[in-house]
């Protein structure tokens, strides 16, 4: 099978990417994989691929020629001093504030290497009470829908009241 | 939680150990990559102080790598208690460890905090429970970098969200002998699970020991990630067992021969290089798991696996050794452990 990108070399790696929950599959050759992949760590023959190489490859792939413009538009991070070129070269962020400064570039990378862009896990209790309540309400609402579908109205009414009391806080 | 090197294990258990690792960073502080020595050590002090407010000095100790010799730091890395990355940052990195060596909190690795909990065998849930307990306490006393949408913020976007990497070390000689590993690896990559050699990222598998871990950290809850990983590992274990049955049906004498010869070499060799030692050890472990070999516990095999690493050999011998000297010392160590 020929590589989907260069259409010249024999493809020997199968790549699956998830971008905004959309699954795409490619077959790529050794050369093209270097600049376009979401597989974080693997070996082909004796070539090892480092995660930072891969991430910077994705950044290049995402922005290609436009990157000069981005470099000019994005200011340095005021907390740690990381600039766009540095971020592009390593694929690493310098501090929590970098996630705000480089948001436009980081989100596409995240959706490329992760299974979604929304955190579904643990929330630190301190300073995040609002987020925890919001999450709880979301869960209850989805429960409520299931209960209504099952015609379990008695339990549904309880859940509805619980949602109201949480929303009233 | 049990220490996988010291505790007795069920002989049929092919999962050597379990690890849960959580990545956490302090809000509005530069990540370790951006910290100079002084700021790095300040952050190490800050995190350690928060930790030791609750956890006592009896059970836990803090080790600052900048106060240690490089060789000693490498021993910790070769015992899997800390990572090579932490040793690289040793001018500003430290770790906190408990007596049983089942908890290790690395400070200033790639992230400010890398909390690790280990258990022997296949015990993702128990290791996760212990990690959550310590994390709950730390988050009360430190401000972690967290966003509603992105979860815990990490230096590398591949760890963002839960910041959790759950992994097991597993012995798969059947699948390896039967040339099925490349198929398994391909299948795992498709479901967001990574499989690597024993030494983690970038390492080749030797001695049929693999590390299997979740690749994805954002978009699923910790419980979902663990549940999925558990299902996948169970499936791999099933396949390993059925492959072993198949191999034993066709090649019983060849396998028995291989196992016993390996035992013979390990018990008698005068010179053993690392790779040969690990491969022979895998054959011997295979024999114990299959019931061909009696009278050797798998924890002895685990101890040899760890102690035969180059830096550990030097540490045990108490001096720097040439490669040839290491191979001789390794053979002596293995003979002693297997013949007593």
């Amino acid at each position: 099978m020929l590589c989907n990108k260069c259409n010249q070399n024999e493809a020997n790696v199968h790549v699956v990417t998830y971008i905004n929950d959309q699954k795409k599959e490619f077959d790529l050759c050794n050369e093209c994989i270097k600049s376009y992949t979401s597989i974080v760590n693997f070996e082909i023959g004796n070539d090892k691929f480092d995660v930072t190489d891969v991430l910077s490859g994705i950044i290049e792939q995402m922005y290609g020629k436009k990157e000069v413009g981005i470099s000019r538009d994005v200011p340095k991070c005021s907390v740690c001093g990381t600039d766009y070129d540095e971020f592009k070269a390593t694929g690493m962020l310098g501090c929590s504030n970098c996630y705000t400064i480089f948001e436009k570039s980081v989100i596409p990378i995240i959706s490329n290497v992760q299974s979604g862009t929304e955190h579904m896990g643990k929330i630190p209790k301190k300073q995040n009470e609002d987020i925890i309540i919001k999450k709880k309400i979301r869960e209850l609402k989805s429960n409520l829908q299931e209960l209504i579908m099952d015609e379990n109205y008695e339990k549904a009414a309880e859940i509805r009241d619980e949602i109201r009391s949480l929303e009233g806080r | 939680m049990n220490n996988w090197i010291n505790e007795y294990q069920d002989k049929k258990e092919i999962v050597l150990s379990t690890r849960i690792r959580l990545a956490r960073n302090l809000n509005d502080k530069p990540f370790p990559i951006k910290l100079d020595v002084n700021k790095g050590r300040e952050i190490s002090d800050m995190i350690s102080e928060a930790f030791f407010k609750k956890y006592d000095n009896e059970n836990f100790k803090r080790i600052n790598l900048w106060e240690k010799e490089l060789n000693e730091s490498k021993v910790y890395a070769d015992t899997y208690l800390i990572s090579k990355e932490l040793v690289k940052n040793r001018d500003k990195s430290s770790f906190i460890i408990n007596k049983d060596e089942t908890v290790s909190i690395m400070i200033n690795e790639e992230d400010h905090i890398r909390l690790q909990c280990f258990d022997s065998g296949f015990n993702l849930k128990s290791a996760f429970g212990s990690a959550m307990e310590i994390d709950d306490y730390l988050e009360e006393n430190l401000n972690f970098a967290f966003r509603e949408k992105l979860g815990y913020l990490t230096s590398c976007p591949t760890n963002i969200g839960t910041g959790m990497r759950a992994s097991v070390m597993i012995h798969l000689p059947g699948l390896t002998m039967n040339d099925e590993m490349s198929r398994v690896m391909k299948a795992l990559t498709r479901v967001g699970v990574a499989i690597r050699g024993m030494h983690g990222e970038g390492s080749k598998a030797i001695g049929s020991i693999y590390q299997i871990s979740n690749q994805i950290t954002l978009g699923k809850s910790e419980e979902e990630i663990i549940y999925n990983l558990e299902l996948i590992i169970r499936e791999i274990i099933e396949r390993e067992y059925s492959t072993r049955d198949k191999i034993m049906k066709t090649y019983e004498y060849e396998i028995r021969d291989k196992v016993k010869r390996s035992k013979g070499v390990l018990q008698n060799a005068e010179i053993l290089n690392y790779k040969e030692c690990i491969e022979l050890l895998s054959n011997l472990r295979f024999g114990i798991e299959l019931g061909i070999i009696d009278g050797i516990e798998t924890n002895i095999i685990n101890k040899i696996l760890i102690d035969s690493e180059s830096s550990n050999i030097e540490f045990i011998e108490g001096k720097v050794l040439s490669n040839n000297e290491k191979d001789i010392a390794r053979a002596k160590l293995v003979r002693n452990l297997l013949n007593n």
Side-chain angles (χ1 to χ4, degrees), chain B residues 163-284:
Chain B
M164 184 182 78
R165 195 79 63 197
S167 66
V168 300
M169 270 221 271
I170 187 167
H171 186 224
L172 302 173
L175 291 170
T176 309
M177 270 179 212
N178 219 27
D179 257 346
E180 289 186 45
M181 281 317 291
S182 60
R183 250 194 15 224
V184 171
M185 284 181 193
K186 249 189 221 163
L188 290 187
T189 313
R190 285 179 197 208
V191 291
V193 169
I195 180 160
R196 308 182 167 115
M198 178 167 67
H199 296 99
E201 219 160 287
S203 67
K204 277 214 154 89
I206 52 168
S208 304
I209 291 176
Y210 300 85
Q211 198 189 80
I212 302 178
S213 62
N214 62 302
Q215 187 85 275
I216 277 146
T217 53
L218 178 72
K220 287 191 170 74
S221 71
E222 290 84 356
E223 288 80 5
E224 271 179 285
I225 292 172
I226 287 178
Y227 178 77
N228 289 341
L229 190 65
E230 259 180 2
L231 284 185
I232 288 163
I233 292 167
R234 275 187 216 292
E235 175 69 28
I236 294 174
I237 294 174
E238 278 305 308
R239 284 197 188 199
E240 170 66 21
Y241 281 141
S242 64
T243 310
R244 286 180 182 193
D245 287 346
K246 252 195 316 206
I247 295 175
M248 283 304 277
K249 265 187 199 135
T250 327
Y251 299 107
E252 188 187 342
Y253 284 95
E254 285 81 354
I255 296 292
R256 295 174 73 89
D257 182 65
K258 191 173 178 160
V259 165
K260 290 184 178 172
R261 278 170 189 269
S262 300
K263 183 178 172 229
V265 173
L266 287 169
Q267 281 178 328
N268 294 290
E270 293 278 347
I271 301 174
L272 262 183
N273 74 37
Y274 178 69
K275 189 164 182 281
E276 184 188 11
C277 176
I278 299 306
E279 296 292 352
L280 292 170
L281 213 52
S282 164
N283 297 339
L284 180 56

Side-chain angles (χ1 to χ4, degrees), chain A residues 146-157:
Chain A
E146 275 173 32
L147 289 168
I148 293 172
M149 297 265 269
D150 292 346
E151 298 182 11
N152 187 350
Y153 298 114
E154 203 175 322
K155 184 81 186 148

Side-chain angles (χ1 to χ4, degrees), chain A residues 104-169:
Chain A
K104 277 197 182 138
S105 323
V106 174
I107 299 295
I109 298 173
I110 290 174
S111 37
N112 215 331
V113 297
Q114 298 285 359
S115 81
T117 49
E118 187 133 4
H119 178 58
M120 305 298 279
K122 186 177 182 182
I123 300 166
K125 285 185 199 79
K126 199 165 91 177
Q127 295 175 333
N128 290 301
E129 212 180 317
D130 291 353
I131 303 175
I132 293 172
I133 291 173
K134 254 188 349 200
K135 190 183 166 194
K136 178 86 188 154
I137 292 174
R138 230 176 20 225
E139 280 170 9
L140 287 173
K141 279 186 176 164
S142 108
N143 274 355
L144 182 63
Q145 267 182 342
E146 275 173 32
L147 289 168
I148 293 172
M149 297 265 269
D150 292 346
E151 298 182 11
N152 187 350
Y153 298 114
E154 203 175 322
K155 184 81 186 148
E158 275 175 36
I159 300 282
R160 184 203 56 207
D161 292 345
E162 198 180 337
I163 293 171
R164 279 186 187 157
S165 101
L166 283 172
E167 280 176 337
R169 277 173 67 158

Side-chain angles (χ1 to χ4, degrees), chain B residues 57-324:
Chain B
N57 284 307
E58 281 264 303
N59 268 315
F60 288 89
K61 63 176 174 191
R62 172 187 177 188
I63 295 167
N64 298 323
L65 291 191
W66 63 85
E67 293 165 359
K68 298 282 168 193
E69 293 292 324
L70 178 58
N71 282 356
E72 196 180 339
S73 302
K74 280 188 179 164
V75 170
Y76 291 119
D78 280 341
T79 317
Y80 300 95
L81 293 172
I82 60 173
S83 65
K84 295 206 161 72
E85 183 83 21
L86 193 79
V87 179
K88 258 191 225 158
N89 287 354
R90 67 183 189 284
D91 55 350
K92 58 188 173 199
S93 62
S94 6
F95 67 104
I96 297 169
I97 190 164
N98 68 342
K99 257 191 193 155
D100 296 340
E101 300 186 341
T102 53
V103 175
S104 159
I105 303 166
M106 297 191 279
I107 304 175
N108 289 336
E109 205 241 28
E110 192 179 284
D111 296 298
H112 291 139
I113 297 176
R114 289 276 177 105
L115 163 60
Q116 309 185 93
C117 288
F118 307 93
D119 205 346
S120 65
F122 187 21
N123 279 313
L124 286 167
K125 284 200 189 86
S126 99
F128 176 67
S130 314
M132 280 296 126
E133 198 187 308
I134 298 173
D135 185 53
D136 281 346
Y137 172 72
L138 286 177
E139 73 172 31
E140 271 173 43
N141 292 280
L142 296 165
N143 280 334
F144 285 156
F146 180 86
R147 298 276 164 81
E148 181 176 357
K149 282 242 164 176
L150 295 177
Y152 292 94
L153 302 181
T154 51
S155 178
C156 182
T158 50
N159 294 314
I160 203 169
T162 58
M164 184 182 78
R165 195 79 63 197
S167 66
V168 300
M169 270 221 271
I170 187 167
H171 186 224
L172 302 173
L175 291 170
T176 309
M177 270 179 212
N178 219 27
D179 257 346
E180 289 186 45
M181 281 317 291
S182 60
R183 250 194 15 224
V184 171
M185 284 181 193
K186 249 189 221 163
L188 290 187
T189 313
R190 285 179 197 208
V191 291
V193 169
I195 180 160
R196 308 182 167 115
M198 178 167 67
H199 296 99
E201 219 160 287
S203 67
K204 277 214 154 89
I206 52 168
S208 304
I209 291 176
Y210 300 85
Q211 198 189 80
I212 302 178
S213 62
N214 62 302
Q215 187 85 275
I216 277 146
T217 53
L218 178 72
K220 287 191 170 74
S221 71
E222 290 84 356
E223 288 80 5
E224 271 179 285
I225 292 172
I226 287 178
Y227 178 77
N228 289 341
L229 190 65
E230 259 180 2
L231 284 185
I232 288 163
I233 292 167
R234 275 187 216 292
E235 175 69 28
I236 294 174
I237 294 174
E238 278 305 308
R239 284 197 188 199
E240 170 66 21
Y241 281 141
S242 64
T243 310
R244 286 180 182 193
D245 287 346
K246 252 195 316 206
I247 295 175
M248 283 304 277
K249 265 187 199 135
T250 327
Y251 299 107
E252 188 187 342
Y253 284 95
E254 285 81 354
I255 296 292
R256 295 174 73 89
D257 182 65
K258 191 173 178 160
V259 165
K260 290 184 178 172
R261 278 170 189 269
S262 300
K263 183 178 172 229
V265 173
L266 287 169
Q267 281 178 328
N268 294 290
E270 293 278 347
I271 301 174
L272 262 183
N273 74 37
Y274 178 69
K275 189 164 182 281
E276 184 188 11
C277 176
I278 299 306
E279 296 292 352
L280 292 170
L281 213 52
S282 164
N283 297 339
L284 180 56
R285 186 192 294 272
F286 194 29
I288 296 170
E289 287 163 358
L290 290 170
I292 297 169
I293 299 287
D294 222 8
I296 299 176
E297 296 294 334
T298 46
N299 65 322
I300 295 288
I301 307 290
N302 291 346
K303 189 164 170 47
I304 298 174
L305 188 71
I306 296 300
D307 285 354
S308 54
E309 299 264 3
S310 289
S311 63
N312 287 344
I313 294 275
E314 286 185 326
F315 186 75
I316 293 164
E317 294 288 314
K319 57 184 175 200
V320 178
L321 301 172
S322 70
N323 283 341
N324 195 38

